Amino acid sequence: MINKFPFKTLLASGALMLALGMTACNGGAGKSGGNDSTSDDNTLLGAGSTFVFPLFSKQFDEYNKQTGLKVNYQSIGSGGGILQLTNKTVDFGDSDAPLNDEQTTKMGAPALHIPMCSGAVVLSYNLPDVKDTLKLTPAIISDLFLGKITKWNDKAIAAVNPGVKLPDMAVAIAHRTDGSGTTNIFTTYLTQVSPEWTTKVGKGSSVNWPVGLGGKGNAGVAGLVQQTPGAIGYVELAYAIQNKMAFAKLQNKAGNFITPTVASTSAAGNIPLPADAKVSISNTDAADGYPLASFTWALIYKEQNYNNRSADRATKLLKLLWWNIHDGQKFADSLNYAPLPPAAVTVAENILKSATYNGKAILP
Amino acid sequence: MKSNVVSYNPSLDQSGLDKPVAFVKPKVKTANRSSKQIWMENFFRKALIVIAVLMVILVLSILLTLIVQSMPSIKALGVKFLWGKVWDPVTDTYGALPFLVGTLITSFLALIISIPFSFAVAIFLGEYYPDGWLSNFLKNMVELIAAVPSVIYGFWGFFVLVPIIRVLEAKIGAPTYGSGYFAASVVLAIMIIPYAASLSREIIRMVPSHLKEGAYALGATRYEVIKNVILPYTKSGLLAGILLSLGRALGETMAVTMVIGNSPALPHGIYGIFQPGNTMASVIANEFTEAAGSVYLSALIELGLVLFLVTVVINVLGKRIISRFTND
């Protein structure tokens, strides 16, 4: 009895578990995702960018107080947000970069990009003996991050910083190691200003860095910069302001050296926008705009009737986003996000009005 | 029995003849198992089998998931993936070699650093001071090392260890990165000490005292007893402890990510171990959230598959080494 192995039980349980295992696999691929998570009609679901999360949580909290509508936003990263919207498990996504071709194809249906606010990326450095604010040009930044400028007293840096005593110190580069929208904004900018960067590195949320150390998150990069004399790295403006880090003035397209602030970031978006708002505002044409900036976009399907969604739910979503680009904007400044310039609000309004339910416009 | 004597009552004595019989009968019955007991016995045995099988199925389905999900990457990149040196999400070029090398370097270097400490702790607590409050205190402290969440080691490594290593590097003339393979190995070494130490201590305590006493009777010193009796007797157990800690080191993610410098470059030159590097686990953790392209995501999952297989291979090899040592 003891030696007789019960093969029947083993086989039966084995087959059952294998079946369960396979189902779990499919679940992982997200194809079987139903409408279970969206059953509560008074809760909207969103997912995406971590960058915009502090602003969204403030805005959604206020909106909840005013209307009673709950918004559950998971800050899992832009890529994750896009994936969840593609799988139709959330009502809206949020991305720090417009959808690329592959993502658009996978989406299956047209998606709308609604600018929510803009953010800037600053170059923070650690030069203990330099008291003045350093000025940098696009060419210098690209050469620094390509590893071509290796000393702080390089001629190119000295040329744009007359009167600043630059130390004979090795440059240490710090970059984000986790895939992030911040990296995307920074590398997109570098591809716009440097042909060499475009061919050697390119743009993306993670790239193959020619030089430097990687830190995890804004805090990781900030830590590397603060620990290493001679280090330079990029972090979000909001993070740099909150942590009182030293950051450089950057020369924009018009030739002006711009200090990164909420106002100069907002100004960067004050340019003629295309109707779909899928535009990079880095390397902006605006004369007073800080060039290293980007919108963050909420993403929704243009046709809101999918997966048996109710018209009520679609209307709630559209009203929420409408509120975000109007009343919600006043919370941006205090959290160091740049509010949308008036021109961008108009474009965003038109995009929201183009959303439909069964082919009919949802907003009047 | 005693209570029976005390509560002796003649009125009950009348049924005294029946009572023993009434008591004996159930005793006979308990010797025969009731159908409920048999059912319970079968149920318990089957439950054990189901749970055991469940574990096997779980591991296999993890493997299956990894293989299925990494197919796009395997199709696009082929076996080149294993020895490619470039990891470039922009051009969809993925090579796992720098991360594979990084995982192996940090794990084995950590093992080499930790072995003297874990064995010293094990011998001290197992042989010299097996009992007493000091021993208990030390034992709990060592076990606490294993209980501290890894992100805390990451913090400590980043804010304390890395600056110290930077000073060290400046003294010996190496490039002063601070973060790198060496920093990651030291943090890992500290994290894995308790795994080998706890197991080794238990095994050293289990050495039969007649063996040790025999050696002492022959005039051996304590060091000689440890060297010639305890260590040879316990070597397979000590190896098992090392294997356990190696397994821990291979998969550690958070603490390593925070101190390794995250640069996908192979070490070269005499100061290679001070260079920034990367491991498979930390690349996956870092890039997974924003991996937008399908080949990119799949390449990360394939990296997970490689890590899984490396762990399996090292475990199997370790088991064989242990059994060979035990047979000798």
Side-chain angles (χ1 to χ4, degrees):
Chain A
M1 187 65 187
I2 286 161
N3 287 334
K4 213 171 103 186
F5 199 75
F7 283 103
K8 264 187 191 165
T9 324
L10 183 109
L11 279 177
S13 58
L16 178 72
M17 290 309 139
L18 200 64
L20 280 177
M22 298 302 281
T23 331
C25 290
N26 289 337
K31 298 287 187 295
S32 64
N35 221 9
D36 309 343
S37 52
T38 57
S39 53
D40 180 2
D41 262 350
N42 211 28
T43 304
L44 291 178
L45 301 172
S49 162
T50 47
F51 161 73
V52 76
F53 179 61
L55 176 63
F56 269 7
S57 42
K58 177 73 184 163
Q59 286 179 334
F60 296 153
D61 188 44
E62 288 293 327
Y63 194 72
N64 177 249
K65 278 181 203 156
Q66 291 180 20
T67 64
L69 181 83
K70 279 193 210 114
V71 184
N72 179 0
Y73 182 79
Q74 304 158 358
S75 59
I76 54 174
S78 302
I82 292 166
L83 205 65
Q84 291 228 18
L85 186 68
T86 309
N87 294 336
K88 301 191 170 69
T89 50
V90 291
D91 296 291
F92 66 97
D94 188 282
S95 173
D96 298 337
L99 295 181
N100 61 29
D101 294 341
E102 192 196 340
Q103 289 162 338
T104 312
T105 318
K106 273 196 174 170
M107 233 4 125
L112 299 174
H113 292 63
I114 306 116
M116 287 286 113
C117 69
S118 48
V121 175
V122 303
L123 286 149
S124 180
Y125 54 87
N126 179 355
L127 294 172
D129 299 329
V130 177
K131 295 282 176 275
D132 311 82
T133 303
L134 218 55
K135 288 178 187 166
L136 296 173
T137 64
I140 295 176
I141 299 171
S142 140
D143 283 354
L144 281 170
F145 279 81
L146 281 168
K148 285 165 75 185
I149 296 181
T150 54
K151 290 277 183 185
W152 278 105
N153 56 0
D154 192 277
K155 286 199 296 277
I157 303 176
V160 291
N161 290 287
V164 178
K165 200 173 168 294
L166 292 162
D168 178 22
M169 195 181 260
V171 173
I173 299 295
H175 57 77
R176 288 283 288 269
T177 182
D178 48 332
S180 82
T182 312
T183 301
N184 203 338
I185 295 170
F186 184 64
T187 51
T188 303
Y189 172 68
L190 286 178
T191 56
Q192 286 166 339
V193 297
S194 160
E196 193 180 354
W197 184 272
T198 315
T199 51
K200 280 193 178 159
V201 186
K203 61 178 175 179
S205 55
S206 295
V207 298
N208 185 20
W209 294 96
V211 285
L213 292 175
K216 193 167 165 55
N218 282 305
V221 174
L224 284 174
V225 170
Q226 279 159 355
Q227 279 186 13
T228 322
I232 181 164
Y234 61 91
V235 289
E236 279 165 23
L237 172 67
Y239 188 87
I241 292 178
Q242 280 153 18
N243 292 283
K244 301 187 174 57
M245 298 169 71
F247 44 78
K249 285 183 183 178
L250 207 54
Q251 191 178 36
N252 68 7
K253 221 174 183 175
N256 303 325
F257 285 95
I258 306 291
T259 306
T261 58
V262 168
S264 63
T265 308
S266 214
N270 205 6
I271 49 170
L273 295 178
D276 62 358
K278 284 172 72 172
V279 65
S280 166
I281 59 167
S282 57
N283 201 23
T284 177
D285 290 320
D288 55 347
Y290 179 70
L292 203 36
S294 170
F295 284 132
T296 178
W297 292 269
L299 302 169
I300 59 170
Y301 283 104
K302 188 171 193 306
E303 171 54 54
Q304 285 285 305
N305 187 9
Y306 57 89
N307 262 19
N308 302 322
R309 275 162 61 95
S310 65
D312 176 51
R313 194 172 181 87
T315 314
K316 276 178 179 159
L317 173 64
L318 270 292
K319 279 190 174 158
L320 168 77
L321 295 175
W322 184 269
W323 182 88
N324 260 12
I325 60 167
H326 292 102
D327 296 352
Q329 292 291 312
K330 63 171 179 277
F331 304 106
D333 212 335
S334 60
L335 293 167
N336 299 313
Y337 290 89
L340 296 172
V345 174
T346 315
V347 171
E349 279 176 357
N350 289 330
I351 295 170
L352 284 176
K353 280 176 185 164
S354 73
T356 56
Y357 190 86
N358 282 341
K360 283 183 218 128
I362 299 168
L363 293 173
Chain B
M1 279 297 273
K2 203 183 173 190
S3 63
N4 273 348
V5 175
V6 170
S7 65
Y8 180 73
N9 190 334
S11 65
L12 284 172
D13 203 31
Q14 288 172 337
S15 58
L17 202 70
D18 295 324
K19 257 198 174 169
V21 180
F23 273 116
V24 166
K25 266 185 182 171
K27 266 183 191 164
V28 172
K29 267 196 176 172
T30 46
N32 289 325
R33 286 163 185 155
S34 71
S35 64
K36 200 181 165 190
Q37 280 176 309
I38 293 169
W39 181 87
M40 189 61 209
E41 197 60 28
N42 283 335
F43 171 78
F44 184 62
R45 189 165 51 92
K46 278 183 182 154
L48 288 182
I49 292 165
V50 168
I51 289 165
V53 169
L54 191 77
M55 288 298 114
V56 176
I57 300 287
L58 192 64
V59 174
L60 289 181
S61 47
I62 289 173
L63 182 64
L64 198 69
T65 312
L66 286 174
I67 293 172
V68 169
Q69 304 260 353
S70 53
M71 277 326 278
S73 150
I74 294 172
K75 274 185 198 140
L77 307 161
V79 279
K80 264 204 329 274
F81 181 81
L82 287 178
W83 59 81
K85 289 181 196 161
V86 179
W87 183 270
D88 189 348
V90 179
T91 56
D92 263 348
T93 313
Y94 304 102
L97 189 66
F99 312 126
L100 189 60
V101 170
T103 298
L104 294 176
I105 288 183
T106 48
S107 303
F108 280 96
L109 196 57
L111 203 60
I112 292 167
I113 299 171
S114 75
I115 283 175
F117 292 97
S118 45
F119 280 8
V121 168
I123 291 169
F124 185 81
L125 293 178
E127 178 61 21
Y128 278 72
Y129 294 96
D131 304 300
W133 69 268
L134 178 69
S135 166
N136 265 329
F137 176 73
L138 278 175
K139 181 174 141 270
N140 290 335
M141 275 299 158
V142 171
E143 275 161 14
L144 196 64
I145 293 179
V148 173
S150 63
V151 67
I152 293 175
Y153 287 104
F155 271 131
W156 175 82
F158 190 71
F159 289 115
V160 180
L161 186 68
V162 166
I164 293 173
I165 290 178
R166 200 173 285 128
V167 172
L168 177 80
E169 284 170 342
K171 282 223 171 93
I172 62 170
T176 55
Y177 291 113
S179 330
Y181 292 116
F182 185 67
S185 303
V186 173
V187 170
L188 274 179
I190 297 167
M191 293 175 74
I192 64 177
I193 284 173
Y195 291 85
S198 295
L199 190 66
S200 307
R201 174 185 150 273
E202 291 303 320
I203 286 161
I204 286 171
R205 286 187 70 169
M206 272 156 47
V207 174
S209 53
H210 62 259
L211 287 182
K212 291 188 275 182
E213 281 158 14
Y216 284 127
L218 291 171
T221 62
R222 204 156 203 186
Y223 171 73
E224 282 165 343
V225 169
I226 290 168
K227 182 166 159 266
N228 298 323
V229 177
I230 294 178
L231 290 186
Y233 187 84
T234 56
K235 64 190 170 190
S236 75
L238 299 184
L239 276 170
I242 292 173
L243 193 64
L244 194 68
S245 49
L246 183 62
R248 176 93 174 91
L250 283 170
E252 177 49 42
T253 310
M254 199 59 215
V256 171
T257 304
M258 291 170 86
V259 297
I260 199 168
N262 301 297
S263 157
L266 287 167
H268 57 81
I270 46 166
Y271 295 123
I273 60 159
F274 291 108
Q275 256 179 254
N278 217 337
T279 66
M280 292 190 273
S282 73
V283 175
I284 296 171
N286 274 328
E287 300 190 4
F288 188 69
T289 47
E290 293 284 333
S294 54
V295 177
Y296 187 13
L297 189 62
S298 174
L300 286 172
I301 295 168
E302 194 180 348
L303 210 53
L305 179 65
V306 174
L307 180 57
F308 188 97
L309 294 178
V310 166
T311 320
V312 169
V313 165
I314 286 183
N315 259 297
V316 169
L317 281 181
K319 292 261 161 63
R320 298 198 76 171
I321 291 170
I322 290 171
S323 65
R324 177 162 301 172
F325 267 89
T326 324
N327 290 343
D328 277 357

